[in-house]
Amino acid sequence: EAGVAQSPRYKIIEKRQSVAFWCNPISGHATLYWYQQILGQGPKLLIQFQNNGVVDDSQLPKDRFSAERLKGVDSTLKIQPAKLEDSAVYLCASSLVSRGRPVGHSPLHFGNGTRLTVT
Amino acid sequence: LAKTTQPISMDSYEGQEVNITCSHNNIATNDYITWYQQFPSQGPRFIIQGYKTKVTNEVASLFIPADRKSSTLSLPRFSLSDTAVYYCLVGDGGVRTGGFKTIFGAGTRLFVKA
């Protein structure tokens, strides 16, 4: 199966500029996640969608970050305006919903991320 | 959400078995234990998942004691290609919360001993 696709692979912008990242999850995966990974740290969850609804955006800096998944498939994450501390790798992941399975955790499938450098 | 604690880094000689232990003292009844591997410039990759006792696949084994308060990821023959960061996660798949919450810690950096 095709994996999670992300673009662009790299992006360099100046502070106060805007940037957008795109993610195409694995076909049929209802749940989509955006993570921010700062160098040397584990991925930090920014937002989680199930189909086109937001499940968790508690750690999304909503004054500058926004994300959408209009048709329940592709997703876009936007930063406007960017700050120096936004320099990180932005990872998208998707997973199946375990319908009919009483407990458990569907493994996440990650893309290779977008490396953002804010100067 | 159950918090996990794992060593920041470990090293091993090639060819040896490597065991990484993760503590999750407040694991809940519905929680599963999942391990991911991350190479530089790549997203994390699912390795193995278990609920109790032992799980084995072509990549690794996962040992979970009866009290489930810890788990140990075992790589049978460590090689240079296994150099990566390994993350231990605990979660219930969102049965209670209506969604899946997946929180990563800092992970364990595993590298070859000189």
Side-chain angles (χ1 to χ4, degrees):
Chain A
E1 65 180 4
V4 175
Q6 290 190 246
S7 67
R9 191 77 173 88
Y10 304 94
K11 190 73 177 179
I12 301 173
I13 62 173
E14 295 182 352
K15 59 183 179 183
R16 291 187 290 274
Q17 286 187 324
S18 301
V19 65
F21 313 124
W22 174 82
C23 173
N24 184 16
I26 293 173
S27 177
H29 281 195
T31 309
L32 185 146
Y33 311 75
W34 283 102
Y35 284 85
Q36 178 193 59
Q37 186 171 28
I38 294 172
L39 185 64
Q41 300 181 16
K44 170 189 167 184
L45 179 66
L46 293 176
I47 189 168
Q48 175 185 334
F49 293 93
Q50 187 145 321
N51 297 308
N52 60 350
V54 176
V55 173
D56 182 3
D57 63 356
S58 57
Q59 296 201 82
L60 187 73
K62 298 181 186 61
D63 58 333
R64 299 184 301 106
F65 286 64
S66 64
E68 60 183 13
R69 194 185 184 199
L70 293 177
K71 297 182 180 179
V73 181
D74 293 7
S75 178
T76 303
L77 176 70
K78 296 179 181 178
I79 307 176
Q80 180 179 11
K83 293 184 176 181
L84 295 177
E85 58 262 36
D86 298 332
S87 294
V89 175
Y90 290 85
L91 295 162
C92 178
S94 67
S95 69
L96 281 170
V97 175
S98 295
R99 296 192 186 281
R101 185 181 182 192
V103 296
H105 167 71
S106 295
L108 272 63
H109 298 259
F110 283 84
N112 285 328
T114 297
R115 181 176 297 277
L116 173 67
T117 301
V118 182
T119 62
Chain B
L1 291 171
K3 181 180 177 181
T4 61
T5 302
Q6 52 184 123
I8 294 174
S9 65
M10 292 181 62
D11 60 7
S12 177
Y13 292 109
E14 286 194 273
Q16 287 192 334
E17 180 183 72
V18 176
N19 297 309
I20 306 174
T21 298
C22 178
S23 298
H24 27 81
N25 290 320
N26 59 339
I27 189 169
T29 303
N30 291 341
D31 286 345
Y32 273 60
I33 301 154
T34 311
W35 286 80
Y36 290 83
Q37 174 191 56
Q38 186 176 26
F39 297 112
S41 300
Q42 295 184 21
R45 180 177 74 109
F46 170 82
I47 302 176
I48 197 166
Q49 182 182 79
Y51 184 79
K52 61 181 179 180
T53 63
K54 176 184 176 182
V55 179
T56 297
N57 61 23
E58 65 277 6
V59 176
S61 294
L62 179 59
F63 299 91
I64 305 168
D67 66 5
R68 304 200 328 122
K69 293 183 183 299
S70 67
S71 59
T72 299
L73 175 73
S74 180
L75 304 175
R77 289 180 59 83
F78 179 64
S79 69
L80 186 59
S81 63
D82 294 323
T83 300
V85 179
Y86 292 81
Y87 296 98
C88 165
L89 281 77
V90 173
D92 68 354
V95 173
R96 291 171 290 153
T97 62
F100 297 90
K101 290 183 180 287
T102 306
I103 309 298
F104 285 78
T108 298
R109 298 182 181 279
L110 183 61
F111 51 95
V112 174
K113 185 177 292 187

